[in-house]
Amino acid sequence: MSLAVSFAANKPIVKSFWALGTDIKFKFYEQGFESALEKALKYLFWAESKMSVFNPKSEIAKLNKFGLYFPIKLSPDIYQLIEMAVEHSKMTDGYFDIAVKNLVDLWNNCRHKNQMPDKYQIEKILFSVGSENIRLLSNYRVRLKNATKIDLGGIAKGFIADKIKEIFYHHGINSAIVDLGGHILAIGKKGESLWKVGIQHPSKNRGEIIGIIEVSDTSVVTSASYERYYNIQGKKLSHIISPKTGYPVEDFISSVTVISSNSTFADAMSTALFAMGFKKAINYIQKTRLDAIVITTTREIYLTPNLKEKFICTDDSYRVISTNEVIVL
Ligand code: ADP
Ligand code: MG
């Protein structure tokens, strides 16, 4: 979460909204964006109403409640999102997993009671975790197995960002920034220049950056635990849960940023890499050649080779290392 975007001269027209539980900002650099913005907002609020777990009438709430008993018919877009989430789960050996909702609920409950769960509770719930419990049927119907429930929090913003990108493309918007609460979609370029996207400093206040990445036509997505975490008995626990152990991820990664023209991929991947922990994440990055920035609590910034020329570190106390140079055993 939480990326700041730094701008130089020519001021954008900024439109701010509250949605998806976060501050949403659109920044336009050209006139004539009104109908594109209207369509984007319409889509955003529509998607939110279908996905919200707080609204008992949403498609996801219905799926979580009744999908265990019979197939639930979804809107084609929501079905597509679940399908993509399942694909990403397979691609990441199950580290990205929307079927973690029972665990998310358990840890939330424990936070309210300020009590750690016992390991038998976790073991019982682990049985319901895993994307194999999501059955994608014909005619946009989905069925859930083993009392599983789904949580789209790790991928929804990315999916919506991709849809907004399509809308903007069809409306001829060539230069804009969409900030979905730290999930940055950079459309085109800033005039003749690249966009400068600030990467949130993992141990400083919101808006204070650790570096800048220069990009065009891409998404920059960060998963971290510095803003959203569970606090139980004074212990800070990550909001990203390992589907393997059932426990919040404890590792020395402070944040993972993924840069990709596919926002859905960037969102799912940043969550997955965080869930993997440092060793597995670096291994995965080396194998798949995705573009990522991994920042550790030991003050190191790991950059994939593609990003070497594009990233400017603004905190000298951190060491910048290429992921190529790392040997993980
Ligand atoms: P943010 O909300 O900070 O942008 P992420 O995209 O990293 O965060 O997603 C974190 C959210 O995804 C959690 O709040 C939870 O709802 C859900 N989640 C937790 N663990 C996992 C996981 N291993 N795989 C997929 N989603 C997860
Ligand atoms: Mg994510």
Side-chain angles (χ1 to χ4, degrees), residues 80-308:
Q80 186 197 8
L81 168 55
I82 296 177
E83 201 171 30
M84 290 170 97
V86 171
E87 259 169 49
H88 283 89
S89 186
K90 287 179 187 153
M91 274 161 60
T92 59
D93 185 27
Y95 280 93
F96 180 80
D97 186 3
I98 56 168
V100 288
K101 180 143 185 6
N102 286 326
L103 287 171
V104 171
D105 289 348
L106 171 76
W107 284 99
N108 256 327
N109 262 333
C110 290
R111 184 187 52 180
H112 291 309
K113 291 194 219 143
N114 195 26
Q115 198 182 354
M116 286 288 182
D118 73 55
K119 69 175 202 250
Y120 301 106
Q121 276 175 295
I122 302 262
E123 271 169 24
K124 227 169 94 188
I125 291 178
L126 269 178
F127 189 64
S128 75
V129 171
S131 63
E132 63 280 3
N133 293 312
I134 304 168
R135 299 278 158 86
L136 294 153
L137 308 173
S138 61
N139 209 10
Y140 307 117
R141 291 168 314 139
V142 176
R143 179 100 157 79
L144 301 177
K145 295 279 174 193
N146 284 327
T148 200
K149 289 199 169 105
I150 66 170
D151 177 334
L152 296 170
I155 194 169
K157 284 195 228 163
F159 182 79
I160 292 170
D162 277 333
K163 296 288 180 186
I164 292 177
K165 188 165 117 181
E166 258 175 55
I167 294 169
F168 279 15
Y169 178 77
H170 289 299
H171 281 77
I173 303 285
N174 298 312
S175 183
I177 292 282
V178 180
D179 180 348
L180 300 177
H183 182 134
I184 305 292
L185 164 64
I187 293 181
K189 284 184 171 183
K190 189 184 180 204
E192 294 301 305
S193 335
L194 295 171
W195 296 109
K196 289 181 184 351
V197 177
I199 306 297
Q200 172 66 42
H201 198 297
S203 59
K204 293 195 177 160
N205 291 336
R206 190 171 198 171
E208 288 189 54
I209 61 172
I210 192 164
I212 291 167
I213 183 96
E214 293 189 309
V215 295
S216 63
D217 242 332
T218 201
S219 282
V220 183
V221 181
T222 302
S223 279
S225 281
Y226 39 75
E227 274 186 344
R228 292 182 51 208
Y229 49 83
Y230 303 92
N231 200 334
I232 304 176
Q233 294 168 350
K235 200 170 175 207
K236 267 187 172 184
L237 297 163
S238 165
H239 71 305
I240 297 174
I241 295 174
S242 165
K244 310 289 175 187
T245 64
Y247 283 80
V249 177
E250 266 192 273
D251 191 77
F252 56 94
I253 290 184
S254 304
S255 73
V256 182
T257 301
V258 174
I259 293 132
S260 169
S261 58
N262 182 327
S263 289
T264 311
F265 173 84
D267 198 357
M269 255 335 143
S270 56
T271 307
L273 291 171
F274 195 98
M276 283 177 198
F278 182 76
K279 276 190 182 172
K280 280 213 169 62
I282 293 291
N283 243 315
Y284 191 89
I285 288 168
Q286 288 174 338
K287 268 196 287 190
T288 54
R289 296 163 186 257
L290 53 84
D291 288 340
I293 304 168
V294 178
I295 306 179
T296 64
T297 52
T298 47
R299 291 181 172 260
E300 281 148 356
I301 302 175
Y302 292 86
L303 291 182
T304 48
N306 248 346
L307 302 181
K308 225 172 152 191

